[in-house]
Amino acid sequence: MGRQNKQKMKKCYKKSIWPSALLFIIFLGSCVGLVILFVTAFQGFLIDEKIADIQEDAANLGRMIEFRMQKNNLSDAVSSLEEYMQEENDVCITDENYQILRSFRNHVPDFKRVENITIFESYRVVPELDPTQANGEQKLLITYRELLKRSLNALEHSNFEDPRWLEEPLFHTNYWVEVPIRLPGYRLYYRDSVTIFQKNVFYMNVAILVELLLLAIPTLLLFMNVVSSVAMQKRMVHLLYQDPVTGGKNWSYFLERSKKILCQLWNTKHTYAIVNLHMIRYQDYCACYGSKEGEELLKKIDGFLKISIGRGETFARFAKADFGLLLRCASPQQCEKRLKKMLVELTGVKKDKMMSFCAGIYLLRPAANWKRMQRRQIDIDQIYHFASAARGTMRGKEGEYIKIFDQQILQEQIWKNKVEETMEAALLNEEFQLYLQPKYHPVTEKIVGAEALVRWISPTDGMIPPNRFIPIFEENGFITKLDDYMILAVAKLQSEWKIQGRRQVPISVNISRVNFVKEDLAEHICHLVDSYGADHAAIELELTESAFFGNKDLLQKILKELKMYGFHISMDDFGAGYSSLNSLKDLPIDVLKLDMDFFRGDGAKQRGEIVVKETIRLAKALHMKIVAEGIERKEQVEFLAEQGCDMIQGFYFAKPMPIEEFNERVEREL
Ligand code: C2E
Ligand code: MG
Ligand code: MG
């Protein structure tokens, strides 16, 4: 992740805690406030709005009457009450059966009635009968809704210029409270009333409005905070999963998303394909058009894949111009077909620019017995590398652009890993051995040279032929170390022959094209050979044709220097793949080695002979020596002798052999 992204993420983290915490506190406070308000509001509208007063009054009254009645008789107590109540006359005394013994009121409720009795705390409250009401009923309680209705009704007829509208009563009720007295046989009732005015409702409404407003602000802020948190989280996820080059998704995203898809969506109907999509020669594209244009191209590819990928599928850039894809198809054939179409379409993402793509596929076939647990254990990264290994096996083969991973590739992959794990140790343990294949003169049939060929004698796998490890070394770069090792081995042998007074047979050493990026290659080789004091003229350096396709100027410079140091240069496998006749013209080549394919297959024998004949003529005209490789039959030797071929290397004369065996052969000729 870039520094900028890291800073952005830090900001996101810092921002998110405090506003939320503060808002939470405000919100909590408002909620508590609202609860208190509503509780008080609704309590206020109950008839026992002044319940505390009622209780206090009742208790005082009770104590007083008890005190009086203990000493005097009932009438004394009542007169004391009258005194106490003065003009209010709001007291009533009954016997234990609710029979009124003494009352100062005409309309006394029937205290026996149970249904109209409300109990507040331990106080029985009985509504007074309203003689003006048809059924004589009186309400003891009123709901807030009813109050609001009454308030609105009243407002309709109010004159707001007159401040008295606030004093308008909306609800009035009289009630009797039973005063608890500890006098057996007597009950004491005390009358009170409650009136709710327009102002009560008005102030209450204002309070509720203010509280709602107070609640709405933090709610709104909280909501905005939630929205911004979600946006921030999205931004963080975006930063975390963003590919810095394409701006699309990165590899971590691909791994996670693919796993999710396979765990959740994979059913028995679909085949999933993990694909390694690779642009061929991206490096060359960048070299041609510049790295900026290269990045532009990667963005275009990303854009193209975005459109091509459907739901339940995903993709991301892995590295350089390699993309990982998870495709869902009805069958393996459909996967291949779809990918083929994609590869063709991809070549057109940048008009008037030449490019080509290839892909390796790993198929995950539908399996009814795939359990979710098993799916979770799928290692997407490894599977992608299997797909990549499948793609790698094509190694630019003509007309082949898609390769499906199979068991053979797996074996190759395992082998490749093994080779890579053991190669360094093998070099130190001198498991790589120098074999020599003699080159013979076709007429004298005497040894005139030899080619140094490596053999890996492994303590576990026995003798490993070069085609099992050289391509791997060329891919991972280890070949340069092996080539140095072989040059040293040949130089050592040459100097030994010199010291021992033996014949110094010229030996050619294969130099992989991977080496031809080093500016100081000639100097380096010279240094290696000189470390044993071997004659430069006795050493020939073989380059395969593919080496001639790289940086031509550098190659020309290196070859010229090598020539200057006195080494001979040969072009190996001439005629295999794409021959560059131009190279013959421009480069200082001493020897041309005809590829063994010239001498394979009988079908076009005559035509093959013409090509060989003319190539030999061309080489001679350019003052080059000719070596024919892979000669296995006598008539081939005779034909080549006739054409003036200088050397023959092939099983007809000898196979590559250890040094001792080669020495014996040379001695036998003397
Ligand atoms: P190359 O340089 O073209 O070597 C010639 C190959 O042809 C050798 O295979 C040799 O054994 C084989 N050969 C020679 N005569 C005949 C014949 O009559 N019939 C058949 N069927 N084959 C014949 P080898 O030793 O397996 O080497 C294969 C390739 O591995 C070499 O091709 C060379 O490209 C590479 N290689 C071998 N040793 C080294 C090395 O030390 N360094 C580098 N860079 N490459 C090496
Ligand atoms: Mg060779
Ligand atoms: Mg060859």
Side-chain angles (χ1 to χ4, degrees):
M1 201 190 304
R3 238 186 84 207
Q4 249 185 334
N5 282 359
K6 269 189 191 163
Q7 275 174 351
K8 274 187 204 167
M9 277 190 69
K10 258 190 193 168
K11 253 189 203 172
C12 287
Y13 276 125
K14 269 187 195 166
K15 259 186 189 174
S16 52
I17 307 166
W18 288 110
S20 313
L22 201 71
L23 281 174
F24 179 72
I25 292 165
I26 296 174
F27 190 73
L28 204 72
S30 301
C31 282
V32 171
L34 198 74
V35 168
I36 293 169
L37 187 82
F38 272 98
V39 168
T40 34
F42 282 102
Q43 270 193 354
F45 293 112
L46 295 177
I47 199 151
D48 71 334
E49 175 203 22
K50 291 164 190 156
I51 187 129
D53 298 350
I54 293 171
Q55 282 174 11
E56 206 184 312
D57 288 353
N60 284 341
L61 204 63
R63 268 195 301 277
M64 197 262 290
I65 201 93
E66 271 172 21
F67 177 73
R68 298 272 175 144
M69 284 177 87
Q70 270 166 13
K71 291 186 180 166
N72 310 310
N73 56 22
L74 181 68
S75 54
D76 280 349
V78 171
S79 42
S80 301
L81 272 174
E82 274 172 359
E83 228 174 82
Y84 176 76
M85 303 303 294
Q86 291 179 351
E87 301 111 46
E88 304 271 336
N89 326 339
D90 286 342
V91 179
C92 173
I93 298 171
T94 69
D95 63 13
E96 57 191 339
N97 296 322
Y98 303 103
Q99 285 299 316
I100 298 165
L101 298 175
R102 191 67 190 260
S103 171
F104 307 99
R105 283 263 154 202
N106 293 334
H107 302 288
V108 177
D110 177 4
F111 294 119
K112 218 174 176 177
R113 287 186 315 166
V114 185
E115 65 272 21
N116 262 350
I117 292 173
T118 308
I119 296 177
F120 294 115
E121 305 275 316
S122 56
Y123 295 91
R124 280 157 49 89
V125 179
V126 186
E128 191 178 69
L129 296 177
D130 186 352
T132 58
Q133 297 274 325
N135 52 8
E137 282 298 311
Q138 171 79 317
K139 273 192 177 173
L140 194 61
L141 300 167
I142 184 160
T143 61
Y144 183 58
R145 200 163 153 240
E146 175 69 16
L147 259 182
L148 270 181
K149 220 163 106 187
R150 286 189 192 187
S151 164
L152 287 172
N153 269 342
L155 282 176
E156 261 179 45
H157 308 104
S158 297
N159 174 13
F160 298 111
E161 280 164 20
D162 181 358
R164 272 176 304 172
W165 68 272
L166 279 169
E167 300 300 334
E168 200 158 313
L170 296 177
F171 174 75
H172 177 84
T173 189
N174 296 317
Y175 57 88
W176 293 85
V177 183
E178 190 179 322
V179 180
I181 47 172
R182 272 169 287 150
L183 283 177
Y186 295 106
R187 290 173 189 274
L188 173 65
Y189 292 91
Y190 145 78
R191 185 174 177 268
D192 206 345
S193 69
V194 69
T195 310
I196 296 172
F197 298 96
Q198 184 69 280
K199 67 177 175 196
N200 295 116
V201 179
F202 177 75
Y203 293 144
M204 179 58 71
N205 285 343
V206 169
I208 287 174
L209 262 174
V210 168
E211 186 62 35
L212 278 177
L213 216 69
L214 276 176
L215 200 66
I217 293 166
T219 308
L220 197 76
L221 290 175
L222 208 62
F223 175 74
M224 276 159 59
N225 191 264
V226 168
V227 170
S228 79
S229 292
V230 169
M232 222 177 285
Q233 207 181 11
K234 271 196 163 178
R235 223 169 42 227
M236 268 162 72
V237 169
H238 183 67
L239 288 176
L240 206 67
Y241 289 132
Q242 191 184 31
D243 183 84
V245 178
T246 61
K249 296 283 184 271
N250 66 9
W251 195 243
S252 311
Y253 175 85
F254 179 79
L255 296 180
E256 276 190 32
R257 180 81 190 122
S258 301
K259 200 148 202 181
K260 218 173 186 175
I261 290 173
L262 291 178
C263 276
Q264 291 174 357
L265 305 178
W266 195 12
N267 54 35
T268 48
K269 273 187 265 156
H270 290 111
T271 293
Y272 274 91
I274 292 192
V275 179
N276 160 235
L277 179 76
H278 171 82
M279 180 184 164
I280 300 167
R281 294 188 209 281
Y282 174 68
Q283 216 73 333
D284 293 352
Y285 184 94
C286 291
C288 260
Y289 304 111
S291 52
K292 210 163 175 140
E293 185 62 33
E295 283 189 7
E296 233 4 84
L297 173 69
L298 294 179
K299 277 183 199 157
K300 287 262 175 202
I301 297 173
D302 193 89
F304 168 83
L305 291 175
K306 234 175 236 159
I307 305 165
S308 314
I309 292 295
R311 280 192 61 186
E313 299 181 332
T314 188
F315 81 95
R317 193 175 74 94
F318 173 67
K320 289 183 188 162
D322 276 33
F323 286 79
L325 276 65
L326 176 76
L327 299 181
R328 189 177 65 171
C329 318
S331 66
Q333 292 77 7
Q334 205 226 336
C335 271
E336 219 178 319
K337 209 169 139 193
R338 192 171 154 205
L339 205 57
K340 244 180 213 165
K341 193 167 162 256
M342 263 187 181
L343 294 188
V344 173
E345 285 171 354
L346 266 170
T347 55
V349 290
K350 272 251 162 186
K351 304 242 160 20
D352 60 73
K353 300 248 159 58
M354 280 289 288
M355 57 200 146
S356 54
F357 296 83
C358 60
I361 310 177
Y362 186 101
L363 289 172
L364 289 160
R365 289 164 208 271
N369 52 357
W370 270 100
K371 301 254 160 51
R372 189 175 270 232
M373 248 329 259
Q374 281 171 295
R375 293 187 219 164
R376 213 167 273 161
Q377 278 157 5
I378 289 176
D379 187 342
I380 306 284
D381 201 46
Q382 194 186 28
I383 291 179
Y384 174 77
H385 282 96
F386 284 156
S388 171
R391 197 258 306 154
T393 58
M394 292 187 283
R395 285 201 187 93
K397 279 182 206 157
E398 204 35 29
E400 206 183 354
Y401 294 101
I402 292 176
K403 185 89 185 173
I404 296 175
F405 181 86
D406 58 22
Q407 276 309 307
Q408 200 191 332
I409 294 170
L410 179 65
Q411 292 310 318
E412 275 176 36
Q413 186 66 28
I414 292 169
W415 171 251
K416 188 179 165 201
N417 290 346
K418 189 176 170 184
V419 166
E420 289 188 337
E421 272 167 22
T422 52
M423 60 191 190
E424 294 276 1
L427 195 71
L428 282 176
N429 299 339
E430 298 187 350
E431 288 174 26
F432 295 105
Q433 288 192 10
L434 169 64
Y435 270 50
L436 294 172
Q437 186 178 27
K439 295 174 192 166
Y440 282 83
H441 191 277
V443 181
T444 62
E445 298 200 347
K446 289 257 160 85
I447 295 175
V448 284
E451 178 174 5
L453 293 160
V454 70
R455 295 292 179 263
W456 185 350
I457 318 287
S458 156
T460 50
D461 296 276
M463 186 192 279
I464 309 166
N467 60 0
R468 297 271 288 136
F469 58 88
I470 296 278
I472 300 173
F473 289 176
E474 285 190 328
E475 210 176 295
N476 64 26
F478 188 69
I479 192 72
T480 57
K481 283 192 184 174
L482 182 73
D483 285 350
D484 285 0
Y485 178 86
M486 290 296 281
I487 293 169
L488 280 172
V490 169
K492 187 177 170 219
L493 184 66
Q494 288 285 11
S495 78
E496 275 171 8
W497 281 343
K498 198 157 101 179
I499 294 164
Q500 290 162 6
R502 289 173 191 262
R503 195 182 139 208
Q504 275 178 266
V505 180
I507 301 176
S508 60
V509 191
N510 291 286
I511 307 291
S512 168
R513 65 194 153 83
V514 180
N515 288 287
F516 287 88
V517 287
K518 296 183 203 154
E519 293 265 352
D520 62 343
L521 183 66
E523 231 174 273
H524 176 70
I525 291 174
C526 190
H527 176 74
L528 292 175
V529 173
D530 289 348
S531 66
Y532 280 103
D535 289 345
H536 294 186
I539 293 173
E540 186 181 304
L541 303 166
E542 283 191 21
L543 278 75
T544 48
E545 260 189 286
S546 56
F548 296 84
F549 283 98
N551 181 347
K552 217 159 193 174
D553 292 339
L554 181 62
L555 179 72
Q556 204 159 18
K557 173 187 162 276
I558 294 171
L559 294 188
K560 270 188 188 156
E561 284 171 2
L562 284 170
K563 286 279 296 173
M564 222 175 59
Y565 287 126
F567 295 107
H568 291 282
I569 311 287
S570 66
M571 190 195 266
D572 201 358
D573 304 336
F574 180 77
Y578 303 99
S579 292
S580 167
L581 289 172
N582 247 355
S583 309
L584 295 184
K585 176 172 73 76
D586 299 332
L587 300 169
I589 296 159
D590 305 295
V591 183
L592 209 62
K593 291 189 82 176
L594 291 180
D595 189 68
M596 59 179 87
D597 273 0
F598 279 119
F599 310 99
R600 296 282 168 275
D602 296 327
K605 188 170 171 253
Q606 233 186 343
R607 288 171 71 86
E609 280 182 356
I610 295 169
V611 175
V612 171
K613 212 161 114 180
E614 292 308 314
T615 311
I616 292 174
R617 228 160 61 91
L618 175 74
K620 291 240 169 243
L622 292 168
H623 308 291
M624 292 175 185
K625 291 210 165 200
I626 286 276
V627 179
E629 269 191 289
I631 304 303
E632 293 178 349
R633 295 196 307 273
K634 196 173 186 309
E635 65 268 23
Q636 288 174 330
V637 179
E638 286 166 358
F639 166 75
L640 288 163
E642 246 173 61
Q643 302 312 315
C645 178
D646 301 288
M647 283 171 261
I648 304 253
Q649 181 185 343
F651 292 174
Y652 174 74
F653 286 112
K655 286 192 173 179
M657 59 189 74
I659 299 167
E660 300 75 40
E661 210 179 310
F662 182 82
N663 282 342
E664 280 169 23
R665 265 191 190 236
V666 175
E667 270 167 30
R668 253 187 276 141
E669 280 185 0
L670 290 172

